[in-house]
């Protein structure tokens, strides 16, 4: 898969973007984190290597084989929030929703109602997206110019991804808490950012972060207003995260 993406980036001479899709929300209530993170890590690394923008599709419907039960669930609001935040943490610049409006089954799959149903009316999913999109835009004003240089997963299960190394500039004080920690850097200014994403889709969490001794203060973005607030760092710094939510520091 890596080689296919690299070949495409080379063949298009960087005049394209690398786009993938993965639909991780399963009907049994589970989330396929392994497949999600594997895909995101490959797209991030190849995009960085060839200096091309990356893109990804986000699951907004349930689906399954024709005449059979759904294999993938209709996403909850926290699911859609999470997939957006995870994509941004991995440096994705173009987010697309699959699907947006209803269409006839393709003969291979049956679909649940889309954000816009067959009668042209918005469903609950539409309103989830309506609430989440402004947050994506608020974060995007900063992240549009940033590369995701390093991404790590915390917690007892890292889903095949790299755990936070001991020399990283921030650690979590709760070793069992599952988070994405992404180090991003503005390509124009060199300014450094940390994006923290809650991998728990059913509960809000308070994430206690421990910054390296040379970091005495941070700025954290208000996802609703777009305002930055400066805070001193002494010991643990607690970040409050919605289910599947994120903070940009």
């Amino acid at each position: 898969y890596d080689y296919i993406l690299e070949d495409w980036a080379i063949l298009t001479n960087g005049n394209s973007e690398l786009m993938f899709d993965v639909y991780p929300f399963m009907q049994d209530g589970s989330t396929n984190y392994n497949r999600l993170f594997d895909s995101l890590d490959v797209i991030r690394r190849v995009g960085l290597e060839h200096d091309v923008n990356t893109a990804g599709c986000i699951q907004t419907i349930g689906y399954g084989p024709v005449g059979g039960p759904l294999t993938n669930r209709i996403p909850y609001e926290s699911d859609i929030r999470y997939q957006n935040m995870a994509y941004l943490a991995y440096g994705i610049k173009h987010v697309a929703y699959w699907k947006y409006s209803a269409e006839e089954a393709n003969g291979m799959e049956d679909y649940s109602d889309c954000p816009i149903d067959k009668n042209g009316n918005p469903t609950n999913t539409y309103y989830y997206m309506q609430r989440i999109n402004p947050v994506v835009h608020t974060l995007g004003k900063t992240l549009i110019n940033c590369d995701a240089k390093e991404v790590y997963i915390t917690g007892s299960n890292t889903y095949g991804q790299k755990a936070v190394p001991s020399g990283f500039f921030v650690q979590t004080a709760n070793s069992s808490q599952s988070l994405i920690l992404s180090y991003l850097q503005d390509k124009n200014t060199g300014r450094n950012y940390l994006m923290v994403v809650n991998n728990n889709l059913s509960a809000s969490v308070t994430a206690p972060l421990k910054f390296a001794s040379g970091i005495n203060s941070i700025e954290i973005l208000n996802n609703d207003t777009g305002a930055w607030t400066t805070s001193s760092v002494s010991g643990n710094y607690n970040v409050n995260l919605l289910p599947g939510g994120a903070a940009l520091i």
Side-chain angles (χ1 to χ4, degrees):
Y1 186 41
D2 302 47
Y3 298 136
I4 293 171
L5 293 174
E6 288 174 358
D7 286 348
W8 179 255
I10 293 169
L11 287 169
T12 57
N13 197 30
N15 296 317
S16 185
E17 66 180 8
L18 298 175
M19 189 173 196
F20 77 107
D21 61 348
V22 59
Y23 308 114
F25 307 121
M26 311 309 294
Q27 180 64 17
D28 64 5
S30 66
T31 298
N32 193 337
Y33 290 103
N34 290 80
R35 187 179 178 196
L36 177 65
F37 290 146
D38 283 347
S39 299
L40 282 169
D41 186 60
V42 170
I43 206 87
R44 180 189 70 84
R45 288 188 285 104
V46 176
L48 281 177
E49 181 181 350
H50 296 278
D51 194 26
V52 296
N53 282 340
T54 53
C57 293
I58 287 177
Q59 178 184 337
T60 62
I61 62 168
Y63 65 92
V66 172
L70 296 179
T71 57
N72 289 63
R73 68 177 179 265
I74 302 172
Y76 302 108
E77 183 167 0
S78 60
D79 295 337
I80 297 174
R81 178 189 301 117
Y82 175 69
Q83 203 168 3
N84 270 285
M85 297 302 107
Y87 280 22
L88 293 179
Y90 275 82
I92 295 291
K93 298 295 184 287
H94 169 191
V95 172
Y97 287 117
W98 187 82
K99 300 175 173 277
Y100 181 73
S101 57
E103 59 186 63
E104 294 301 318
N106 60 12
M108 299 176 60
E109 295 173 323
D110 281 340
Y111 306 125
S112 69
D113 274 342
C114 295
I116 302 296
D117 67 19
K118 293 179 180 179
N119 298 314
N121 299 312
T123 63
N124 287 338
T125 306
Y126 175 88
Y127 295 107
Y128 300 160
M129 294 158 57
Q130 188 181 59
R131 288 191 286 269
I132 294 164
N133 283 347
V135 176
V136 175
H137 281 281
T138 298
L139 292 164
K141 291 176 182 177
T142 296
L143 296 178
I144 192 65
N145 294 316
C146 291
D147 285 332
K149 295 289 192 179
E150 301 175 39
V151 183
Y152 304 106
I153 308 297
T154 73
S156 56
N157 187 350
T158 61
Y159 305 101
Q161 306 305 305
K162 293 180 180 179
V164 183
S166 59
F168 195 52
F169 66 88
V170 63
Q171 303 287 326
T172 175
N174 184 344
S175 61
S176 65
Q177 200 168 61
S178 185
L179 306 168
I180 301 171
L181 297 184
S182 174
Y183 159 50
L184 302 111
Q185 187 176 70
D186 190 297
K187 293 186 289 187
N188 300 321
T189 67
R191 190 171 178 83
N192 296 318
Y193 296 91
L194 171 71
M195 192 165 178
V196 185
V197 182
N198 178 15
N199 291 331
N200 188 328
L201 307 186
S202 61
S204 297
V205 301
T206 297
L209 304 178
K210 297 188 295 184
F211 287 90
S213 58
I215 300 174
N216 300 312
S217 66
I218 59 172
E219 290 182 277
I220 186 164
L221 181 69
N222 185 308
N223 291 347
D224 295 319
T225 67
W228 292 89
T229 301
T230 302
S231 296
S232 60
V233 177
S234 177
N236 292 346
Y237 182 85
N238 293 327
V239 177
N240 297 317
L241 303 167
L242 293 171
L248 183 61
I249 297 171

